[in-house]
Amino acid sequence: MNDLKSKIELLKKEVSSIEYDKNKEVFDGILSLIDILSEEVRALSDRQESLEENLEYIDEDIIGLQDELFEEVSIEDLMEMEEEYVEIKCNNCQKPLFIEGDTINNSSIIPCPFCNKNAIEK
Ligand SMILES: [Zn+2]
């Protein structure tokens, strides 16, 4: 960008040294056009830069989310999860039920989904 700026400045100097004639007017016109265009390009590249910066942040966020979502689950974790559920038989209809161990320990009534009666009624 700075390179472009200095080239434009150089051109301006050269044009200003031209003796007044029709050519000078044309050159001036072209130069002011180039000036406008170079400003546009600069503004665009500024926006591009900030877009790229934002993309980088989004990228980092996504990587963080991925890490959270796909945190490795070990075999031990899976076993532990499985252990939390206990297979019991409904006291009424004898169908197998999978109940959380805590629930069995803490409740006196577990409704059986098959017969709707209390599965742990003694
Ligand atoms: Zn039952």
Side-chain angles (χ1 to χ4, degrees):
M1 263 334 276
N2 287 333
D3 196 35
L4 187 59
K5 259 289 191 263
S6 57
K7 273 181 187 159
I8 293 169
E9 288 309 313
L10 200 69
L11 257 178
K12 276 184 187 166
K13 249 179 234 163
E14 279 170 27
V15 169
S16 67
S17 68
I18 297 172
E19 297 288 302
Y20 181 83
D21 61 12
K22 203 71 193 158
N23 284 343
K24 189 177 162 69
E25 266 174 52
V26 172
F27 277 129
D28 276 342
I30 291 169
L31 266 175
S32 70
L33 249 179
I34 289 173
D35 250 355
I36 291 164
L37 285 175
S38 80
E39 271 308 301
E40 293 280 330
V41 170
R42 198 189 50 79
L44 275 174
S45 90
D46 280 356
R47 279 180 58 195
Q48 168 88 9
E49 231 170 79
S50 82
L51 275 174
E52 273 171 21
E53 234 170 72
N54 281 337
L55 260 182
E56 245 170 69
Y57 286 130
I58 291 170
D59 231 29
E60 278 168 26
D61 283 351
I62 287 173
I63 286 169
L65 274 175
Q66 272 180 333
D67 286 349
E68 261 174 57
L69 279 174
F70 300 113
E71 227 179 289
E72 264 186 71
V73 178
S74 68
I75 299 289
E76 284 79 16
D77 289 338
L78 284 174
M79 299 279 275
E80 228 170 81
M81 277 185 225
E82 217 165 273
E83 271 167 30
E84 278 168 26
Y85 281 84
V86 181
E87 185 180 358
I88 62 161
K89 268 192 177 130
C90 172
N91 209 39
N92 187 59
C93 67
Q94 308 302 318
K95 293 224 165 85
L97 309 173
F98 287 91
I99 312 289
E100 246 181 298
D102 281 350
T103 307
I104 293 173
N105 295 332
N106 300 329
S107 23
S108 55
I109 297 171
I110 294 174
C112 168
F114 300 106
C115 66
N116 290 320
K117 293 200 169 134
N118 187 4
I120 56 169
E121 199 173 22
K122 306 267 153 49

